[in-house]
Amino acid sequence: MTSLASEQQITLDILARLGGDYPATAMLLALLWRSADRMPVQVSSRSLAACTGLGYQVVQRALQRLECRSLVIARKIPRATAAYQVNVPVLRQLLGSPLPSTAFLPGFTPIPALARFRDAAEAGAAPPTPFT
């Protein structure tokens, strides 16, 4: 990974290194979006589910998987939610690890059919839908 990697490339790197675990990737990115790399962030699983469009139980299981990998440190707060912090050294170590060796990695392996879709869009088709 280069030092000038785009957010999209880093997202793909995380997704690939987490074995395609989209819910865990989404939770990690949602916590980073809330600055959990700098300080513990108090947020409920329901709030994370609402902001990512994932189910509540999917979010809880994804957070547990991130905790098991030491990517996220969780501290339970009585009668409230939890405080989550991204373990930045472990995240950097994950990003520095080699990509899985497979014949096809979505986002990394060029797909000629997608290039044709891009060419069609440039020829006057509707613009791609931006994600927010």
Side-chain angles (χ1 to χ4, degrees):
M1 183 179 76
T2 66
S3 59
L4 299 175
S6 69
E7 287 183 30
Q8 292 85 4
Q9 188 62 49
I10 292 170
T11 298
L12 289 172
D13 285 353
I14 292 170
L15 181 62
R17 286 174 173 88
L18 288 179
D21 187 344
Y22 176 77
T25 301
M27 288 306 94
L28 187 59
L29 295 174
L31 292 171
L32 289 169
W33 178 61
R34 293 175 178 255
S35 301
D37 58 320
R38 291 183 278 151
M39 62 189 167
V41 174
Q42 292 184 21
V43 63
S44 70
S45 296
R46 293 199 190 282
S47 294
L48 288 169
C51 82
T52 60
L54 296 172
Y56 168 71
Q57 290 181 332
V58 172
V59 166
Q60 287 188 314
R61 288 189 299 265
L63 288 168
Q64 289 171 349
R65 289 192 300 277
L66 290 171
E67 285 182 72
C68 287
R69 292 185 75 147
S70 299
L71 283 163
V72 169
I73 301 162
R75 183 174 45 91
K76 303 301 178 200
I77 300 172
R79 293 193 193 123
T81 172
Y84 297 97
Q85 187 162 13
V86 174
N87 189 339
V88 175
V90 174
L91 178 57
R92 287 184 191 279
Q93 185 178 21
L94 176 73
L95 288 170
S97 67
L99 286 170
S101 63
T102 61
F104 175 74
L105 275 174
F108 292 90
T109 307
I111 303 171
L114 292 180
R116 290 190 295 273
F117 285 120
R118 184 190 65 230
D119 294 342
E122 290 172 358
T129 305
F131 291 100
T132 57

